Amino acid sequence: MAQRMRRATRGRVAALATVGLMLAAGFVTGAAPVQAADADLIVNGGFEDGLASWFVNNGNAADGAQLSATSDAFSGATAALVTSRTTTGSGPMQDLSGKVQAGQAYTLTARIKYENPNGPATKQFFATMHYGGGTYTNLVSVTATKGQWAQFNGTFTIPSGQVVSTARLFFETPWTATPATDPDLHLMDFTLDDVSVVGAAPPAPASKTIEVVGKLPGEHNPLIGHKFGADGFGFVHDGRVYMYLTNDTQGYAPNPATGVSPGINYGDINQITVISSQDLVNWTDHGEIQVAGPNGVAPFTTNSWAPGITKKVVNGQEKFFLYYANGGGSSNVITGASPLGPWTSERTSTLINGSTPGAEDVAWKFDPAPFVDDDGQPYLYFGGGPASTSMPPAERFNNPKNIRAIELDDSMVATQGTAAVVDAPVAFEAGHVFKREGRYYFSYSSHFGGNDFGGSQQPLPGYPGGGQIGYLISDNPMSWPKETYAGVLFPNQSQFFGAGTGGNNHQSVFEFEGKYYFTYHAPTLNKRINGNTTQGYRSPHIQELAFNPDGTIQQVVGTYAGVNQVRDFDPYRVFEAETFGWSKGVATTKVDGSSAQFGGAAPNLVVRDIDNGDWTALSSVNFGANGAQRVTAKVRALAAGGQIQVRLDTATGPVVGTVPVDTPVGQWAEVTAELEGVSGVHDVYFTYTGPAGVDLFELDTWSFRAATLELPVTVTASARCVGGKVYVAVQARNDSDAPVGITVQSPYGERSFAAVAPGANAYQSFNTRAVSVPAGSATVRVTGAIGGQDVTTVRTVQHPAGTCGG
């Protein structure tokens, strides 16, 4: 096995012998060690599911090929054919990230064939692993004879020190810098079949479920307690606030014994988390967008940090544009049909990079924040990091000029013109713009000094200290001189949340129903899990933003209390079970299908990892004066004996209904319970009980049914003969404690009675004018008021057949 940079071919081939891969005609001298936990880590290795789980190697910008299914298979019905190769490394690839482990041995087998008429009589092929960056390792080699199937059959051991967070297997021919000079020798088509990598399956991943109560009942920060999320960007659409977050949970892996996770690894983050709310307290989890990486919406990017979103009508169609940082070196954008997707990439390369005019001196071309002005002109703000060394030390510290503003064109996926310098004092990163009363506000996070910013320096009077949020006010979205600096908007979060919560920050501002709100992050959930030690896992927070009469901002105070709930929660609808005011011990996951609440374009999530003693809760649910009659949940039982208890106001409050989850195990079904004494506004807790030590069930949706108001009335009907004719007599007794109006209807007539007293009867005998009538019905309509609310109750009563005479 040889590990090398992409250009180091001689060392790569020679090293095959040094690690015991003695390959001759595709065979090895010894067999791989057999392990009890051995498993085939390749998905669809025989290509019987077409090209599922396979793609063309894209490790280098020059790589490219066409991958198609072919019936010319070694076994089975299908194999993979690779054609139109542009580099020697352009071949079929499968992502094994998370499947292989450092220090483990694996056996690799595969079948390969080439038939190019002008190709050589024999050709060497490699199975190669790409560990990210420039690290490639040849695993197994075979020399194939033209027109014949050859077999890879060898073992390899991943070095114990190898980082395997990225591990992608592909098939190639020996590397050369100029393969196009002899394509028949270097770029021949080939067919691949029956790929297998057998070895120790990775251990089960550590549970990411947060078992502690991280968002305490009654508190509104952090926004969620069942997962992490950073760099929150608030976005309002159709009466709902959406928050887009860097998915800090992606690398969270707490030790089962200690509950402590290794420190966050930003390099592993390639997803964006989305949550939303109508009231700023109860938040719905929409899961993660797989933005970057080989299976991402934009697979030409590696990371997705610091999202920013906006919307614009383009060519008559409303679109949503989600911008993100591809690590520190570039930024990009994907396009959605709604705030929840589906998402596509209109670009094949990054939006902001080293070729962006005016950004040449920006060290970190990240943290893209979009802004669309009232006239429809879009802008993008980005940048940060170390100041240019060409500036004097004091200037590097106080005015590093490391952030930029640039116009976007009408497509929203391309820039236009040259980026302008944002001269924000002590700037570090996280630029963001909003507009209020005709003026533009630019906020940002300040740096911590050090060699990157001129060494030992002091900020000018009034300038931000380390890790604070400063802001500027301008009359022009492209003009931000240092003279527009207005002060510190938010001190470092450690000032409010104590030990373990410091570090840099990232913020946004949004307007919702006439008020302005400020978003930021702090590792408060991480702190509640581990005490005063945190590992960098951050959580979203919101505080209300207030302004002085001159338009400057009153400095924000970070609190666990957070913001007031904007409105009571409406329970009388189908809503997602992954909507939480607070929670304990649960997690969420995506499942097939679309969201019952948000429609076909939105992903569907369910609540999972529900154990005995766990609970979820909703804040300030308004059941109205008449209250709720029943609750329905869509569940999938995972064990027998589970129950859901509905409680009011606390997790130990009175039980007002019990839902038995007695449905067949493994099947989705609806379960219902009647409720007692549920009216007015309450926090609602769903507490989960059942056998200990097992997952009880999964939850998809909730819905409540309002109690029906009815006026009490007793109705009877009879048939009798009078004067040789049948009469149908209908009587309605008012059983309420107030007068009511009663209308009696039958096929033979109608009569209304006003203000029928409590206990009194409304009686009407209808002449049918017939000597015989069949059995039939009459209708009584009662109108009155209950608790000041107008109510109409309708009763249908049957009367028997009637016959007069012989």
Side-chain angles (χ1 to χ4, degrees):
M1 177 173 60
Q3 186 162 309
R4 43 83 176 169
M5 301 298 287
R6 169 49 83 184
R7 292 171 291 182
T9 54
R10 290 179 61 86
R12 170 175 85 167
V13 176
L16 284 168
T18 67
V19 292
L21 292 181
M22 302 300 295
L23 305 173
F27 295 92
V28 294
T29 58
V34 177
Q35 303 179 47
D38 280 359
D40 191 349
L41 308 184
I42 295 292
V43 177
N44 188 31
F47 300 96
E48 298 310 302
D49 290 329
L51 301 177
S53 299
W54 292 91
F55 54 97
V56 175
N57 175 25
N58 57 7
N60 290 313
D63 291 335
Q66 293 294 320
L67 196 61
S68 60
T70 176
S71 59
D72 181 18
F74 178 81
S75 67
T78 311
L81 174 65
V82 57
T83 59
S84 305
R85 299 167 62 223
T86 59
T87 66
T88 57
S90 300
M93 172 176 268
Q94 185 161 139
D95 190 2
L96 298 183
S97 303
K99 294 185 176 183
V100 294
Q101 306 172 68
Q104 293 290 327
Y106 300 89
T107 298
L108 184 149
T109 59
R111 299 284 181 168
I112 198 162
K113 182 175 70 172
Y114 75 101
E115 296 181 308
N116 301 54
N118 298 324
T122 62
K123 183 65 180 179
Q124 187 181 33
F125 290 87
F126 287 110
T128 300
M129 194 81 84
H130 183 195
Y131 291 112
T135 304
Y136 293 78
T137 301
N138 300 134
L139 305 176
V140 179
S141 171
V142 67
T143 298
T145 300
K146 182 166 60 178
Q148 299 180 20
W149 284 99
Q151 183 182 24
F152 288 96
N153 190 356
T155 66
F156 65 93
T157 299
I158 299 178
S160 59
Q162 177 63 59
V163 176
V164 293
S165 57
T166 298
R168 306 200 298 171
L169 172 72
F170 68 101
F171 293 83
E172 62 173 342
T173 50
W175 184 86
T176 181
T178 56
T181 59
D182 193 348
D184 291 326
L185 178 61
H186 301 296
L187 299 176
M188 68 276 293
D189 301 345
F190 63 85
T191 305
L192 185 70
D193 202 2
D194 294 349
V195 183
S196 176
V197 173
V198 175
S207 172
K208 295 178 182 287
T209 301
I210 296 168
E211 299 295 344
V212 305
V213 181
K215 179 183 181 182
L216 300 183
E219 295 180 349
H220 300 161
N221 277 331
L223 304 185
I224 50 177
H226 69 291
K227 61 170 56 174
F228 304 99
D231 308 322
F233 193 101
F235 174 71
V236 178
H237 178 71
D238 282 351
R240 198 168 189 91
V241 175
Y242 294 83
M243 284 278 286
Y244 298 81
L245 306 161
T246 301
N247 181 22
D248 276 17
T249 311
Q250 197 165 1
Y252 181 64
N255 183 294
T258 66
V260 178
S261 174
I264 190 169
N265 182 353
Y266 302 109
D268 288 342
I269 300 176
N270 58 18
Q271 299 172 345
I272 289 172
T273 299
V274 186
I275 60 176
S276 73
S277 177
Q278 287 181 303
D279 58 34
L280 302 185
V281 174
N282 297 295
W283 291 88
T284 301
D285 184 356
H286 299 289
E288 281 67 46
I289 307 167
Q290 185 63 59
V291 177
N295 300 314
V297 179
F300 54 91
T301 59
T302 304
N303 296 114
S304 56
W305 308 339
I309 190 170
T310 191
K311 64 182 177 182
K312 193 174 188 295
V313 175
V314 179
N315 296 326
Q317 179 182 358
E318 185 177 57
K319 292 183 176 183
F320 298 80
F321 300 92
L322 181 58
Y323 301 81
Y324 63 95
N326 177 38
S330 62
S331 294
N332 196 50
V333 59
I334 58 175
T335 306
S338 79
L340 300 177
W343 301 97
T344 59
S345 177
E346 298 183 37
R347 297 187 58 87
T348 57
S349 61
T350 52
L351 171 66
I352 301 294
N353 50 51
S355 65
T356 302
E360 296 83 359
D361 292 335
V362 175
W364 296 345
K365 300 172 178 63
F366 72 167
D367 288 3
F371 168 71
V372 178
D373 208 347
D374 300 334
D375 61 2
Q377 174 60 53
Y379 302 88
L380 191 70
Y381 303 86
F382 66 93
S388 172
T389 56
S390 65
M391 295 188 295
E395 185 179 1
R396 291 177 66 194
F397 186 98
N398 285 291
N399 297 96
K401 301 178 177 63
N402 50 1
I403 299 179
R404 297 290 184 270
I406 197 167
E407 291 186 355
L408 295 169
D409 70 11
D410 289 339
S411 74
M412 301 292 290
V413 297
T415 63
Q416 62 183 12
T418 300
V421 172
V422 178
D423 193 2
V426 198
F428 189 38
E429 58 184 9
H432 174 80
V433 166
F434 70 96
K435 189 176 184 180
R436 176 182 180 270
E437 296 182 355
R439 304 172 78 187
Y440 303 90
Y441 292 74
F442 180 93
S443 60
Y444 63 97
S445 182
S446 61
H447 66 71
F448 293 88
N451 291 335
D452 285 340
F453 294 94
S456 179
Q457 302 291 327
Q458 291 296 320
L460 293 174
Y463 276 17
Q468 298 185 337
I469 305 298
Y471 74 105
L472 296 76
I473 304 176
S474 176
D475 295 325
N476 185 331
M478 288 290 290
S479 177
W480 302 98
K482 61 185 178 182
E483 289 76 16
T484 60
Y485 174 69
V488 172
L489 163 57
F490 184 66
N492 189 265
Q493 62 277 6
S494 61
Q495 177 174 322
F496 309 112
F497 303 110
T501 64
N504 58 336
N505 215 317
H506 197 116
Q507 78 301 328
S508 76
V509 174
F510 64 90
E511 183 183 6
F512 185 52
E513 299 187 356
K515 292 184 177 181
Y516 286 83
Y517 295 91
F518 172 76
T519 77
Y520 61 103
H521 64 230
T524 46
L525 174 58
N526 194 178
K527 181 173 179 175
R528 278 176 169 160
I529 295 170
N530 301 138
N532 285 341
T533 62
T534 60
Q535 294 79 45
Y537 297 94
R538 302 157 296 178
S539 294
H541 290 228
I542 294 179
Q543 307 290 163
E544 190 172 335
L545 202 60
F547 296 83
N548 298 310
D550 64 356
T552 55
I553 301 173
Q554 296 178 18
Q555 195 169 102
V556 175
V557 174
T559 67
Y560 282 110
V563 299
N564 293 328
Q565 188 164 334
V566 172
R567 59 175 52 79
D568 292 335
F569 189 87
D570 174 16
Y572 297 124
R573 58 199 167 107
V574 175
F575 60 92
E576 298 297 336
E578 61 275 11
T579 302
F580 307 138
W582 308 282
S583 64
K584 176 185 177 295
V586 300
T588 60
T589 190
K590 284 185 180 179
V591 295
D592 291 339
S594 56
S595 165
Q597 180 179 352
F598 295 92
N604 189 33
L605 271 71
V606 298
V607 183
R608 57 170 290 274
D609 203 3
I610 298 173
D611 304 316
N612 181 57
D614 291 343
W615 52 262
T616 60
L618 296 167
S619 174
S620 296
V621 181
N622 191 347
F623 292 105
N626 304 319
Q629 179 179 354
R630 69 182 56 164
V631 63
T632 298
K634 185 177 179 181
V635 301
R636 184 168 77 98
L638 301 177
Q643 287 189 338
I644 304 169
Q645 295 172 328
V646 184
R647 300 174 182 265
L648 299 185
D649 300 320
T650 71
T652 56
V655 177
V656 294
T658 300
V659 184
V661 183
D662 52 6
T663 56
V665 172
Q667 299 181 24
W668 285 102
E670 289 191 344
V671 290
T672 298
E674 299 296 310
L675 300 174
E676 300 245 351
V678 181
S679 63
V681 178
H682 295 274
D683 297 336
V684 175
Y685 286 76
F686 304 102
T687 58
Y688 307 119
T689 64
V694 296
D695 288 348
L696 301 177
F697 41 78
E698 294 177 341
L699 278 165
D700 191 0
T701 60
W702 297 108
S703 62
F704 286 84
R705 179 176 175 180
T708 302
L709 291 181
E710 293 188 342
L711 293 162
V713 60
T714 301
V715 180
T716 58
S718 61
R720 60 192 181 89
C721 291
V722 176
K725 303 296 182 181
V726 178
Y727 281 74
V728 173
V730 182
Q731 178 175 289
R733 187 182 69 227
N734 176 14
D735 294 329
S736 68
D737 56 3
V740 297
I742 298 178
T743 297
V744 180
Q745 297 173 312
S746 80
Y748 313 108
E750 176 182 319
R751 184 178 176 187
S752 295
F753 303 83
V756 178
N761 291 309
Y763 176 85
Q764 178 61 38
S765 182
F766 295 101
N767 184 357
T768 68
R769 296 180 174 80
V771 297
S772 179
V773 296
S777 63
T779 300
V780 174
R781 185 179 302 273
V782 184
T783 57
I786 298 178
Q789 180 177 339
D790 292 337
V791 177
T792 298
T793 299
V794 178
R795 292 281 186 271
T796 299
V797 62
Q798 300 295 316
H799 67 76
T803 300
C804 297

